[in-house]
Each structure stands twice: as C-alpha cells, then as structure tokens.
Amino acid sequence: MTDPQQLAIMKILASLSATAFGAFRQLFFLITIRMTAISINHGNMPASALGYALYGYFLCSNHEDIEAGCQFARLGLDQVQRLDAKEWHSRVWSNAHFFVSHWKAPLKDIPDQFQAAYCKGLECGDFQNAAFSAFHGCLFPYFSGTTRNLAELQQKALPLKESALQMKQLQMIPRFNILLQAIHALRYGRTSAQYLKGEYYDEELMVPLHLQAFDFPCLFMLYLHKLLLDYLSGDFRQAVEAASNRR
C-alpha cells in the first residue's frame, strides 16, 4: 500500500483499537473490520498485520468461526514477518496469541509466544505490548494448569513485574500483584477469607482505585481469582458471590 491517505487512516485506526477494546467493544470490532477491509481493497502495510489478527478474534468470538479466525490471525503473524515490520511484531504477536491462539493451539505452547513478543517489544521499544506479553506469559500457565510448580511461576512473575515497572507500564502492576497474591494464597493460605490481601495486593485498598480509574478488566481479573480461590477452599457461597459481582 502506498496511498498516503489510507496509510494515515490505518495508523489512526490501529492507535484507537486498544482504547476502544476497553471502552466500547462494538467500536473495537468496527475498527478491526475497517482495517481488514482497507487492507483487502488497497493492499497490505505493516498495520494490516494487526488488523488481520484482531479480525481473527472478531470471527472467533462473535461468529464462532474458529477456523477462519485462526487463519486470519496466522495471516497477521505471517504478514508482520514478511514485511519485516519489527515495530509491529510485539503488538501483533501479543494480540494474536492472547485473543486467538488458545482456540486451537495447546495452552502449554502459548507462553513461549508471549515470551517472544515480550523480547521483541523490549528490542523495539514497544513497552506497552512488552509488559502485556510479560504478564500473560505468566497468567496463561496459571489458569491452564500447565505449570505445577507455583514457586517457579512466582519467581518468573516477580522480575517481569519489575521489568514492567521499569518500563513505566503502571497499568500492568496491579494485574501482576493480583496474580502474585493469588499464587501466595495457594501456596501458604489466605490471610483473609473475605478479601484478597497480603504481601502483594490489598483488595480493600485497591478496589476503589480500580473503580476510580474505570479499570474494569482489572476488577474482572480480581474476582476471577477470588472465584477460583473460594471454590478450591470449598467456600461455594462466596465463590458464587465473586462470580456474580457486577462492580
């Protein structure tokens, strides 16, 4: 693609996609559809790789067309390699593997892809997606059960959290802290039966801050962890409360 107007439109759409995902999901999907349509009609550019990966997510989640969704995600991964778009590598890989790969690929294989995206983000200065990948490289083995050694997972997460802090990706720090506190609770027991609190995270202190920041994905993560911890401890009533929380 060489049309300067279409190039500018694609860059604007790509820059809006992350914000739209958190704020207005319907707009996010419209952006992904538009990016894909521009690439098909006008030719590929580096941002096309992101559009294809996100369109793959749209097909998997909205239309349950897993096969086509995975093909578009693979197209995005192939495009970023073929165009040698290093500055897009971390973002495309992190989004493709977070949103799409788990529909077909074994979960045990995905953390390695996040590690690659993390390294590429560091290399190219894409700190936002580097931190995103670092966190999900820890989260996937935790939820999937593909790691049986929580101590090793904790030791992996701690330096990655510090890396995110050094990159000033502060939005990822509470997510790391929630994960670390949940791991600590599984290893040593909970300090509070009602709240997730301890060395790494204090629910009573942090929930008002999450609400103030409209960080609803972080709140979702908190209550998902609480749901699992309550279930594993046999407190099913409290697990239901965590599952039905509508904050």
Side-chain angles (χ1 to χ4, degrees):
M1 182 192 297
T2 57
D3 185 336
Q5 182 176 359
Q6 298 302 325
L7 288 169
I9 291 173
M10 286 289 282
K11 289 182 179 179
I12 292 171
L13 291 173
S15 67
L16 290 173
S17 61
T19 302
F21 177 80
F24 188 28
R25 197 64 55 87
Q26 287 78 7
L27 176 60
F28 169 77
F29 286 130
L30 287 174
I31 288 172
T32 66
I33 293 168
R34 182 60 177 161
M35 290 180 71
T36 304
I38 290 174
S39 299
I40 292 173
N41 292 326
H42 297 275
N44 288 318
M45 61 166 290
S48 300
L50 177 64
Y52 292 142
L54 296 179
Y55 188 66
Y57 168 55
F58 169 73
L59 292 175
C60 289
S61 63
N62 281 38
H63 294 277
E64 298 184 358
D65 192 342
I66 309 303
E67 191 62 38
C70 289
Q71 288 177 358
F72 265 98
R74 172 49 56 187
L75 177 61
L77 293 170
D78 290 343
Q79 282 294 316
V80 80
Q81 295 278 24
R82 189 180 68 82
L83 297 173
D84 195 26
K86 295 180 180 179
E87 71 277 16
W88 290 88
H89 190 120
S90 181
R91 187 171 183 185
V92 173
W93 274 52
S94 62
N95 280 276
H97 293 300
F98 176 69
F99 287 123
V100 181
S101 291
H102 59 84
W103 292 94
K104 290 189 71 174
L107 289 178
K108 65 181 178 62
D109 296 340
I110 298 178
D112 289 341
Q113 306 302 325
F114 283 124
Q115 179 66 26
Y118 167 67
C119 293
K120 284 292 185 181
L122 289 179
E123 178 184 330
C124 300
D126 184 357
F127 296 144
Q128 181 179 15
N129 286 288
F132 180 90
S133 300
F135 172 67
H136 288 98
C138 299
L139 191 70
F140 266 58
Y142 173 82
F143 278 127
S144 67
T146 53
T147 179
R148 296 190 179 276
N149 192 323
L150 290 174
E152 289 185 1
L153 183 58
Q154 185 177 27
Q155 291 306 309
K156 175 184 178 181
L158 283 168
L160 290 172
K161 171 192 164 183
E162 290 305 312
S163 176
L165 191 58
Q166 291 175 10
M167 291 185 286
K168 296 182 172 56
Q169 298 304 307
L170 301 183
Q171 78 281 4
M172 300 308 301
I173 303 306
R175 290 157 172 76
F176 271 111
N177 287 339
I178 291 170
L179 174 61
L180 287 165
Q181 192 61 51
I183 293 173
H184 189 276
L186 287 172
R187 295 185 65 196
Y188 303 109
R190 301 172 71 173
T191 58
S192 169
Q194 184 176 2
Y195 299 106
L196 184 66
K197 61 188 303 182
E199 178 181 352
Y200 301 102
Y201 185 83
D202 186 335
E203 177 184 346
E204 290 183 286
L205 175 65
M206 293 303 298
V207 164
L209 298 179
H210 299 325
L211 289 169
Q212 184 179 359
F214 298 99
D215 193 351
F216 299 114
C218 196
L219 287 167
F220 169 80
M221 192 67 61
L222 166 64
Y223 291 115
L224 180 58
H225 279 288
K226 290 187 65 177
L227 165 63
L228 292 176
L229 291 170
D230 290 333
Y231 175 82
L232 292 173
S233 65
D235 191 341
F236 303 127
R237 180 192 59 79
Q238 195 159 282
V240 171
E241 290 180 4
S244 61
N245 196 290
R246 291 293 182 267
R247 287 176 186 269

